Amino acid sequence: MKLIFASFLAIHGLIHLMGFAKAFGYGNITQLTQEVPKSLGTLWLLTALFFVGCAVQVFLKKEGWALLAVGASVMSQILILTAWEDAKFGTLANIVVALAVLMVLGARHFEQSYREDVLSAMGTSVAMDVPITEKDLESLPFPVQNYLRYVGVVGKPQIQNFKINFEGQMRNRDKDWFHFTSEQYNFFADPARFFFMKAKVNRIPTCGYHAYTKGTAGMRIKLLSLFPIVTVDSPKMFATETVTFLNDLCLFAPARLIDERIVWQTMDERSAKATFVTGDTRVSATLHFNEIGQLVNFVSLDRSSVPEMKTFPFSTPVKEYRNINGYNLPTYGETIWHYPDGEFVYGKFYLKSIAYNLPPRIDRA
């Protein structure tokens, strides 16, 4: 798609060279029946160069192309009006460019709200350099202790925040899979989670933003980053996103399982139940471990499926552990609803990168 649009911009730009050639007498330009003054011919040339420059920036994934395209399209349309009978169909190309610019600027605005929320949370995140010790593990159920030793938390500082990137596939019931990439920040002292996803659903660019913080939770999904197709801010979302927050904590920041907000119950030698309390919300999950200490599944009964806004058993089996930044972490997981009529795998997640205890700033994706 990037190559197609870059080619479109380049071709649209090169067509403007006909106005330049007509004005300066280069070749027999029969497509333009009106005379073109040399002053306007120079503008036709500049417009052509602007569009070609836009094409190069699009191909190189440079953000500046959108503003350059605005100027090029305005100049182009003014020139088209001076030669309307010959050049009027160029208006359609300028409309396509304008729609593309609108999509890009809309996406930036949508994503900016996510980044502002992250920056606000960053300001309250304080790093702690005190390392975790074996003594810190003593109050935990044996399988959880074993898991934390396997992950490698002993001797490392407590985690205050992390940034994580995924790619994978998702789907709705009775729908096809679509590919996505995501960026996410979690904060633990004051629980917060900000998840921004980019995808193509039926080949249409779509963005989604989940925000969980300070007793509120919501989800927005926009087609072309402009048109809201899902907006959910039901009170039930807070409990649902709290389960998701607990899931992230267990899988990707397991050192945070040493937390007075979590009440533990040993189930057997390879499973334990965690109950996480934040404010007036209480959610639970059962953690299942294998013989070498890996967490292999997380099961909760407290998460609601958004389409129905009803609770169903929810699980996230994980595997393919690798050492990442000094921790042994799962790099592949699935999200599964256990509906009355059977299991439904709706997400497949591949861990691409993770960073802990970030300073109070964020980098652009």
Side-chain angles (χ1 to χ4, degrees):
M1 184 63 70
K2 175 187 69 176
L3 182 59
I4 292 173
F5 186 59
S7 300
F8 172 82
L9 287 170
I11 292 170
H12 183 44
L14 292 174
I15 290 173
H16 288 72
L17 291 177
M18 289 193 297
F20 168 71
K22 181 76 172 184
F24 288 89
Y26 298 131
N28 183 24
I29 309 300
T30 58
Q31 292 87 346
L32 297 177
T33 59
Q34 299 175 237
E35 291 300 317
V36 179
K38 289 186 177 181
S39 58
L40 288 181
T42 301
L43 291 178
W44 283 98
L45 174 62
L46 288 174
T47 303
L49 294 176
F50 282 172
F51 275 118
V52 172
C54 287
V56 172
Q57 289 194 331
V58 168
F59 184 75
L60 296 177
K61 297 183 178 180
K62 301 293 185 180
E63 291 188 355
W65 77 266
L67 293 179
L68 185 58
V70 170
S73 296
V74 171
M75 289 177 62
S76 173
Q77 197 57 40
I78 291 172
L79 292 171
I80 287 171
L81 291 174
T82 67
W84 181 252
E85 289 302 319
D86 299 322
K88 58 187 175 184
F89 291 109
T91 300
L92 297 177
N94 286 332
I95 290 173
V96 171
V97 174
L99 290 174
V101 169
L102 189 62
M103 286 169 50
V104 168
L105 296 181
R108 289 181 188 173
H109 179 73
F110 189 30
E111 188 170 351
Q112 185 61 27
S113 65
Y114 151 72
R115 298 196 174 279
E116 288 173 356
D117 288 344
V118 171
L119 279 172
S120 178
M122 279 285 189
T124 63
S125 182
V126 180
M128 297 177 62
D129 295 328
V130 179
I132 295 170
T133 66
E134 280 285 342
K135 187 173 180 59
D136 294 321
L137 275 57
E138 290 179 356
S139 62
L140 303 175
F142 170 76
V144 180
Q145 292 185 35
N146 201 27
Y147 172 51
L148 297 192
R149 293 188 187 101
Y150 171 82
V151 170
V153 306
V154 176
K156 296 184 177 68
Q158 184 57 278
I159 294 171
Q160 299 304 311
N161 62 58
F162 71 63
K163 173 188 176 184
I164 191 166
N165 293 87
F166 293 104
E167 66 177 34
Q169 297 86 42
M170 298 188 77
R171 63 176 176 174
N172 293 318
R173 297 184 84 173
D174 302 320
K175 302 293 183 181
D176 293 332
W177 290 99
F178 62 86
H179 182 266
F180 75 90
T181 61
S182 67
E183 179 183 278
Q184 172 185 332
Y185 285 81
N186 283 48
F187 302 87
F188 299 106
D190 294 318
R193 177 181 186 267
F194 307 102
F195 175 90
F196 195 85
M197 179 185 73
K198 297 178 181 179
K200 286 190 176 179
V201 181
N202 296 323
R203 299 185 179 182
I204 301 175
T206 304
C207 291
Y209 176 34
H210 291 240
Y212 167 82
T213 181
K214 298 178 182 177
T216 64
M219 176 180 70
R220 288 179 289 160
I221 299 176
K222 291 187 176 184
L223 199 67
L224 302 175
S225 300
L226 294 173
F227 308 107
I229 55 174
V230 177
T231 300
V232 182
D233 58 5
S234 165
K236 287 186 177 181
M237 279 294 291
F238 188 75
T240 292
E241 292 296 316
T242 300
V243 173
T244 306
F245 179 84
L246 177 61
N247 182 257
D248 291 338
L249 184 155
C250 293
L251 297 176
F252 304 112
R256 293 300 317 196
L257 296 179
I258 307 167
D259 194 310
E260 62 183 10
R261 294 169 295 188
I262 301 177
V263 178
W264 289 100
Q265 178 184 352
T266 300
M267 306 300 287
D268 54 45
E269 63 179 9
R270 291 190 186 172
S271 64
K273 183 178 181 180
T275 299
F276 179 69
V277 180
T278 177
D280 296 328
T281 300
R282 176 186 297 263
V283 300
S284 298
T286 301
L287 281 57
H288 299 273
F289 307 89
N290 64 15
E291 66 279 2
I292 63 174
Q294 296 174 335
L295 175 60
V296 294
N297 206 354
F298 170 105
V299 181
S300 177
L301 305 179
D302 296 327
R303 197 167 186 269
S304 296
S305 172
V306 171
E308 302 90 352
M309 289 311 294
K310 294 181 180 179
T311 56
F312 297 99
F314 168 79
S315 67
T316 59
V318 294
K319 59 183 179 179
E320 297 178 14
Y321 277 74
R322 289 194 292 111
N323 189 281
I324 302 175
N325 294 342
Y327 295 93
N328 294 316
L329 301 173
T331 60
Y332 174 76
E334 297 179 347
T335 49
I336 303 175
W337 286 115
H338 298 262
Y339 292 120
D341 58 352
E343 294 184 358
F344 175 68
V345 179
Y346 73 91
K348 298 179 180 181
F349 290 75
Y350 300 85
L351 174 62
K352 305 307 294 183
S353 66
I354 189 167
Y356 297 101
N357 293 337
L358 295 116
R361 63 179 180 81
I362 62 173
D363 300 320
R364 292 191 66 82

